[in-house]
């Protein structure tokens, strides 16, 4: 698969070509419109703009001293609620990606068959926005969603945090943050090839240097863009890089997967192990021979199909487990 993609697939991200990468990503990953996402009436889709720290979404531009976070809420049409929710944070190394382009796949693979709603978060990108701004925006969206779920036909008692790559790291950080702030309590965290460790010192990060589609050069560039001078410092908080966490107790059940031939292998395995050692629940899959983003780059490969099936089974068990359903009398 890598050979078929050519050298461009393994060109590392550097400070010098970051702007070019972002422009190329915007061209290759255009935002579908709400009308396109509705797919002729198969899905109900709406965009919500939530002021960070404000109690209600607002129309128009934010005030100069305020930020907004956009939530793209999508669900299969015609289903009575309340539906469980996948609160999803997109990938892109914290410097690329958008909330809209991931939705067609998420709606097709999970929203329809399970069924569930997907709320995709448009968080601001580095280097223009650095920690803690993207995470705080994701948290503000989660708090607003939990408070307004009933009006949207969603189940605030069945919210799953999820994300891929940078989004997986943000989802892990969000689980830590909402635990420590006493915020909304998710029932699970879906961490797909998560970007967890700013230090970039694992064996797999060295082993896959110049080989993986996202190697240690790209990883260092992205973390530097997201953290600035705080990258690699000993006092970096775990909300900035969840691999720094020393207390993983009290977190929701986690699903983690990663390729055996990717940069994030060792930090993902270490995070799952730390969750177990803290008494938590974690299901870990290390897919043999898989590079970063394997299921997107080679969706018909047997290993990609197996990975999608395993994720779907975990999600179904999670939302159908006893006690996970909304009980109006509770």
């Amino acid at each position: 698969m890598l050979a078929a993609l050519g050298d461009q697939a393994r060109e590392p991200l550097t400070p010098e070509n970051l702007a070019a990468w972002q422009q190329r990503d915007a061209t290759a990953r255009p935002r579908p419109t709400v009308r396109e996402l509705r797919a002729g009436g198969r899905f109900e889709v709406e965009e919500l703009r939530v002021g960070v720290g404000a109690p209600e979404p607002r129309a128009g531009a934010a005030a100069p001293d305020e930020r907004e976070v956009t939530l793209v809420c999508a669900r299969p049409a015609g289903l009575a609620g309340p539906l469980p929710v996948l609160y999803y944070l997109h990938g892109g190394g914290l410097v690329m990606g958008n909330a809209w382009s991931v939705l067609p796949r998420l709606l097709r693979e999970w929203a329809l068959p399970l069924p569930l709603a997907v709320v995709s978060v448009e968080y601001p990108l580095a280097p223009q926005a650095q920690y803690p701004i993207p995470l705080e925006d994701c948290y503000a969206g989660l708090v607003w969603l939990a408070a307004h779920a009933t009006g949207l036909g969603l189940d605030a008692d069945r919210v799953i945090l999820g994300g891929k790559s940078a989004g997986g790291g943000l989802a892990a950080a969000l689980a830590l943050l909402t635990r420590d702030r006493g915020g909304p309590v998710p029932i699970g965290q879906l961490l797909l090839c998560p970007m967890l460790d700013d230090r970039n010192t694992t064996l797999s990060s060295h082993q896959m240097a110049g080989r993986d589609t996202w190697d240690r050069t790209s990883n260092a560039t992205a973390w530097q863009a997201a953290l600035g001078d705080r990258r690699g410092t000993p006092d970096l908080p775990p909300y900035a890089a969840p691999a720094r966490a020393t207390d993983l107790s009290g977190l929701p059940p986690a699903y983690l997967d990663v390729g055996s031939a990717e940069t994030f292998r060792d930090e993902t395995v270490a995070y799952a192990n730390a969750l177990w050692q803290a008494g938590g629940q974690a299901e870990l899959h290390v897919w043999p021979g898989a590079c970063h983003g394997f299921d997107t780059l080679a969706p018909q490969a047997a290993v990609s199909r197996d990975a999608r099936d395993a994720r779907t089974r975990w999600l179904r068990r999670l939302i159908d487990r006893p006690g996970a359903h909304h009980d109006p009398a509770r």
Side-chain angles (χ1 to χ4, degrees):
M1 183 272 294
L2 287 176
L5 290 173
D7 292 338
Q8 183 173 311
R10 283 178 283 183
E11 174 197 0
L13 176 69
T14 65
E16 293 74 25
N17 67 20
L18 173 56
W21 268 56
Q22 291 177 318
Q23 181 59 46
R24 189 167 66 204
D25 178 75
T27 301
R29 191 159 30 187
R31 298 182 179 188
T33 65
V34 168
R35 181 177 180 181
E36 289 169 337
L37 289 172
R38 287 174 178 157
R42 295 179 70 196
F43 302 104
E44 300 170 9
V45 182
E46 59 181 321
E47 294 179 4
L48 302 167
R49 290 181 175 83
V50 178
V52 176
E56 297 293 337
R58 61 193 66 198
D65 59 344
E66 292 183 337
R67 295 195 315 276
E68 288 182 325
V69 58
T70 298
L71 308 179
V72 188
C73 181
R75 56 185 288 165
L79 293 182
L83 288 178
V85 184
L86 176 63
Y87 188 77
Y88 194 82
L89 311 175
H90 67 79
L94 298 170
V95 298
M96 295 175 290
N98 65 76
W100 292 263
S101 62
V102 296
L103 277 170
R105 177 179 57 84
L106 298 177
L107 292 172
R108 181 180 66 252
E109 294 182 4
W110 291 329
L112 276 177
L114 288 173
L116 53 74
V118 179
V119 175
S120 187
V121 185
E122 179 70 350
Y123 57 85
L125 301 177
Q128 289 77 18
Q130 295 185 329
Y131 171 82
I133 291 174
L135 180 61
E136 290 290 351
D137 284 12
C138 293
Y139 181 75
L142 177 65
V143 170
W144 185 89
L145 176 66
H148 295 81
T150 300
L152 296 170
L154 307 178
D155 190 345
D157 292 328
R158 287 190 292 166
V159 176
I160 303 157
L161 307 180
K164 188 172 186 178
S165 191
L170 277 173
L174 187 55
L176 291 166
L177 187 65
T178 194
R179 177 200 66 179
D180 294 346
R181 288 185 177 174
V185 180
I187 63 170
Q189 45 182 332
L190 180 71
L191 311 179
L192 308 179
C193 53
M195 181 178 172
L196 300 166
D197 197 341
D198 65 299
R199 293 165 293 193
N200 213 22
T201 57
T202 63
L203 178 60
S204 61
S205 74
H206 288 275
Q207 189 179 26
M208 298 303 147
R211 296 173 178 265
D212 192 15
T213 51
W214 183 263
D215 76 347
R216 66 191 320 269
T217 298
S218 299
N219 202 37
T221 301
W223 277 114
Q224 187 69 36
L227 301 178
D229 293 340
R230 302 183 73 178
R231 182 177 76 90
T233 57
D235 59 345
L236 188 72
Y239 315 118
R244 302 295 198 100
T246 57
D247 178 12
L248 295 183
S249 62
L251 293 172
Y255 179 99
L256 304 96
D257 78 358
V258 70
S260 70
E262 70 166 292
T263 299
F264 295 152
R265 182 194 65 209
D266 291 353
E267 62 198 69
T268 301
V269 172
Y271 201 73
N273 193 51
L275 286 166
W276 293 321
Q277 291 180 350
Q281 298 180 39
E283 178 173 326
L284 171 67
H285 293 263
V286 181
W287 298 106
C291 67
H292 190 66
F294 66 97
D295 55 312
T296 299
L297 297 170
Q300 297 308 313
V303 68
S304 300
R305 297 196 302 269
D306 288 347
R308 288 195 298 273
D309 289 346
R311 297 163 187 167
T312 302
R313 287 194 299 269
W314 181 82
L315 284 168
R316 181 174 285 114
R317 289 196 304 271
L318 189 68
I319 62 179
D320 288 343
R321 70 181 182 179
H325 288 278
H326 178 72
D327 181 358
R330 184 148 50 97

